[in-house]
Amino acid sequence: LHTDVVDDFHNALGEIFAGLMAMKNPHFGFSKKGRKWHQEHMAKWNRIGVTELFRTWEWQKGLYDKYIARGKKGLPAANPADYGFHQLGAAFDMSESTQLITIGNRTVRQIFEAHNFVWYGEGDKVHFTHKNFWNNLRGSQNFAKRKQIGDAADSYFKNCL
């Protein structure tokens, strides 16, 4: 994965964890209320679910083909032939419930957006892409660049990991 993607992802998770740890338990010690408060807030950390930061061409094709087979209309960006951002190692999916967890005064989605990730929006509610890739590699005019990066990432994954 690209270092700016990994660094920004790590920083966002660090902010979320620090925010959870900074929450003050309003109940003293290990009283019933104190334990319950602690369990509820630590459960937020356990619910942070991020999936599929990188997908091989075959993995992406399998997911896309299953989606189409269910009678759904595929997103052009999800077509493996288009070399989407998952195939570049620059995107991840996060459940909608995770995105809406509040840490301090921001949601998890807002924290990731503050750390250079673009939420795809209503078209694909679980999808985030790193801003540098989103700004510089989207669109058909950048297909050759996406293909070059995607092929290199796929080869590395298959041959080196």
Side-chain angles (χ1 to χ4, degrees):
L1 295 172
H2 307 279
T3 55
D4 54 347
V5 176
V6 172
D7 289 347
D8 288 339
F9 191 81
H10 180 264
N11 291 337
L13 286 179
E15 181 178 334
I16 291 166
F17 185 71
L20 286 171
M21 297 312 293
M23 291 178 177
K24 301 289 185 219
N25 188 334
H27 309 287
F28 181 74
F30 290 99
S31 66
K32 279 187 178 182
K33 285 183 180 180
R35 282 195 306 273
K36 184 178 181 196
W37 182 94
H38 179 77
Q39 289 168 349
E40 288 171 358
H41 284 79
M42 292 317 329
K44 287 183 178 182
W45 178 253
N46 293 329
R47 285 185 13 228
I48 306 270
V50 175
T51 61
E52 303 180 359
L53 191 57
F54 171 75
R55 296 178 187 156
T56 64
W57 191 92
E58 290 84 6
W59 185 4
Q60 182 68 28
K61 180 167 179 12
L63 291 172
Y64 187 77
D65 289 349
K66 285 179 190 174
Y67 188 76
I68 298 299
R70 291 193 325 244
K72 307 271 186 169
K73 182 180 179 199
L75 293 167
N79 186 335
D82 194 41
Y83 288 87
F85 292 109
H86 281 287
Q87 290 166 264
L88 307 182
F92 66 90
D93 291 341
M94 178 188 301
S95 71
E96 289 180 74
S97 60
T98 296
Q99 294 174 37
L100 301 177
I101 293 172
T102 302
I103 309 294
N105 62 353
R106 296 191 300 173
T107 63
V108 169
R109 179 190 303 156
Q110 291 168 327
I111 292 170
F112 274 96
E113 288 174 332
H115 288 278
N116 298 314
F117 288 93
V118 176
W119 178 55
Y120 199 82
E122 294 298 317
D124 188 354
K125 294 179 181 182
V126 299
H127 184 87
F128 289 78
T129 299
H130 194 272
K131 194 178 290 184
N132 291 347
F133 286 81
W134 179 260
N135 290 338
N136 296 313
L137 291 175
R138 67 182 163 167
S140 59
Q141 71 277 13
N142 290 308
F143 173 78
K145 287 182 199 173
R146 284 196 312 277
K147 183 176 180 342
Q148 180 182 11
I149 294 168
D151 286 345
D154 202 59
S155 176
Y156 179 79
F157 182 81
K158 290 175 182 171
N159 298 312
C160 299
L161 295 180

